[in-house]
Amino acid sequence: MKNILVTGGMGFIGSHTVIALIEAGFNVIILDNLCNSEITTLKQIEKISGHYPEFYFANLMHKASIEAVFMQQEIHGVIHFAALKAVGESVDKPLSYYQNNLVGTLNLCQVMQEFNVFNLVFSSSATVYGDKNPIPYKEDMPLSATSPYGQSKVMIEQMLQDLHLSEPRWNISLLRYFNPIGAHSSGLLGENPKGIPNNLMPYIAQVATGQRQALGIFGNDYNTPDGTGIRDYIHVMDLANGHLKALAQLASQNSANQTNRNKTSVEAYNLGAGHGYSVLEVVKAFENATGVHIPFKKLARRAGDIAAFYADTHKANKVLDWQVERGLTQMCSDTWRWQLNLSKRANS
Ligand code: NAD
Ligand code: WQD
């Protein structure tokens, strides 16, 4: 499996995974409509990896654009990141989220099937565990959703299960990411949210540069040791490596399938660190890693948040032979290096 199509490869997780793929010797083809990313990311990828990946400016809503890529390229497998991902926005614009995430995936799978490409790694999310499961979350727990965004992931997972039942050549990994943060250690690639950041680490980083006055902490009365919410933060490069491991697993199942049928599958894997940190612990870690003080104020709970969740990662550790290598300090220092570069660019 050498030629990999990466949908959404210009985005936060996609671009870091593209670096990991290039460094591992894959030939990467990116498809993205840049609705939440910048064309300049291609240059950054080239600076880091020494390789300018092939790029198609295309929208998954247009099936013919996807077909054009498959006609021009011999694709062996697909990593499908492209989606809209803001939970709050999905509550306000459910139709946009269902359309983009569901129809985009439908179109992609139809084209893959037309071209006999059956290897797929799908970006799912810890949000598919809903708000009723006990922690840590395990892959075989029942799925549910608390937002249209989350529901789109639950529905796509179900659709991919049905697809494999209908055609056993489909070989699919459902990667359930927990809370990806951090940036490439070069400081050349990272997360650059448009507008006011929704997520904790990008908000802290903008407080650190002075772009925002203070972090608002959503709730300090949760049933957690310090009262603030606990999440399982994972460095984006560890997450990127999880995709390489998932591709390797799909490839080994394909070879096993040639001698012994029924080896292909749809399997879900949790990609997280396997433990959590509270909001206050993340603030402290950022201050210690960077030497920058982060002022904060306590606010009411954010609607839809739950007190605490983290992953059971035994399955990914064992079956994919994957573990995280980077801790919270590195997540903070890499974020800071990237944020400083972003500010320099904005001011020059
Ligand atoms: P991102 O927004 O940075 O990247 C998504 C990319 O997909 C963007 O470059 C965007 O332009 C592109 N895209 C969106 N719709 C498209 C379409 N119709 N056609 C072509 N390109 C399109 O998001 P990310 O944080 O890198 O997330 C990647 C994937 O991981 C998403 O599926 C997301 O739901 C999932 N995920 C993200 C997180 C997180 O916290 N970042 C957590 C769990 C799961
Ligand atoms: C982390 C903690 C907040 C911002 C979201 C999606 C989830 C997944 C990952 C895609 C919580 C607190 C945050 C702030 C705060 N994405 N916080 N002040 O909500 O765990 O997960 O991103 O699949 O689906 O819901 O991440 O970074 O927003 O919040 O106090 O300004 O930080 O309350 O406890 P979350 P987050």
Side-chain angles (χ1 to χ4, degrees):
M1 234 198 284
K2 182 135 178 76
N3 301 343
I4 304 296
L5 176 68
V6 183
T7 77
M10 301 291 275
F12 172 45
I13 306 169
S15 58
H16 289 81
T17 304
V18 164
I19 297 288
L21 286 165
I22 293 172
E23 285 174 353
F26 288 94
N27 180 30
V28 177
I29 300 123
I30 299 176
L31 181 160
D32 202 301
N33 68 354
L34 302 179
C35 69
N36 197 34
S37 48
E38 304 289 337
I39 192 71
T40 48
T41 297
L42 280 176
K43 265 257 152 270
Q44 305 301 88
I45 291 173
E46 186 189 26
K47 274 191 207 158
I48 296 170
S49 70
H51 185 84
Y52 198 87
E54 287 196 70
F55 173 63
Y56 288 84
F57 176 60
N59 190 331
L60 290 178
M61 293 301 102
H62 306 135
K63 201 175 155 198
S65 317
I66 312 174
E67 282 168 335
V69 179
F70 278 75
M71 273 187 277
Q72 287 166 31
Q73 304 280 347
E74 191 192 327
I75 299 204
H76 303 139
V78 178
I79 307 182
H80 176 36
F81 292 103
L84 299 178
K85 64 159 182 179
V87 175
E89 186 184 58
S90 80
V91 176
D92 296 334
K93 299 178 181 169
L95 295 182
S96 304
Y97 272 68
Y98 285 122
Q99 182 177 42
N100 195 70
N101 295 0
L102 293 179
V103 177
T105 308
L106 273 173
N107 285 342
L108 175 68
C109 290
Q110 281 171 350
V111 175
M112 287 176 70
Q113 200 152 256
E114 271 171 43
F115 285 81
N116 284 313
V117 178
F118 294 105
N119 296 305
L120 176 65
V121 176
F122 172 64
S123 297
S124 189
S125 165
T127 193
V128 300
Y129 292 108
D131 56 359
K132 303 281 181 295
N133 282 309
I135 46 176
Y137 293 158
K138 293 192 176 72
E139 285 85 351
D140 56 2
M141 285 176 168
L143 306 188
S144 66
T146 55
S147 70
Y149 165 72
Q151 193 61 48
S152 76
K153 295 292 181 188
V154 173
M155 290 163 86
I156 292 168
E157 285 206 10
Q158 181 61 54
M159 185 178 89
L160 296 175
Q161 298 280 1
D162 294 340
L163 202 50
H164 177 256
L165 276 180
S166 74
E167 166 52 87
R169 278 184 294 170
W170 277 100
N171 203 11
I172 301 173
S173 280
L174 310 171
L175 302 185
R176 296 178 182 159
Y177 315 151
F178 280 66
N179 286 56
I181 59 171
H184 191 266
S185 58
S186 62
L188 295 172
L189 208 55
E191 189 172 15
N192 187 12
K194 293 183 177 164
I196 302 171
N198 296 310
N199 298 115
L200 179 64
M201 187 54 90
Y203 204 106
I204 291 178
Q206 292 195 7
V207 172
T209 59
Q211 276 168 274
R212 318 239 161 241
Q213 275 191 333
L215 170 72
I217 294 186
F218 299 136
N220 66 337
D221 55 352
Y222 284 109
N223 185 17
T224 59
D226 65 20
T228 66
I230 291 178
R231 296 291 182 272
D232 183 340
Y233 297 95
I234 171 172
H235 194 292
V236 64
M237 287 310 298
D238 281 331
L239 190 56
N241 285 335
H243 295 75
L244 298 192
K245 296 289 191 174
L247 283 179
Q249 169 68 8
L250 293 183
S252 80
Q253 288 180 177
N254 285 337
S255 353
N257 206 38
Q258 284 169 2
T259 46
N260 177 7
R261 287 185 69 78
N262 303 323
K263 285 290 174 196
T264 55
S265 62
V266 186
E267 283 295 334
Y269 301 97
N270 287 341
L271 297 185
H275 54 84
Y277 290 103
S278 73
V279 176
L280 285 173
E281 284 173 326
V282 175
V283 170
K284 265 276 147 289
F286 191 92
E287 290 182 332
N288 289 339
T290 63
V292 183
H293 175 59
I294 303 297
F296 62 81
K297 52 186 184 219
K298 292 177 178 168
L299 301 179
R301 292 180 180 192
R302 182 172 65 178
D305 272 355
I306 57 180
F309 63 82
Y310 53 92
D312 181 317
T313 60
H314 285 95
K315 186 173 174 188
N317 298 156
K318 190 163 172 250
V319 182
L320 300 183
D321 183 28
W322 169 86
Q323 28 270 320
V324 296
E325 290 169 6
R326 299 157 180 88
L328 186 58
T329 303
Q330 187 171 351
M331 298 183 214
C332 294
S333 53
D334 286 343
T335 301
W336 185 225
R337 195 174 301 109
W338 156 248
Q339 189 69 38
L340 284 174
N341 276 342
L342 258 188
S343 304
K344 259 190 239 151
R345 261 198 268 160
N347 296 330
S348 66

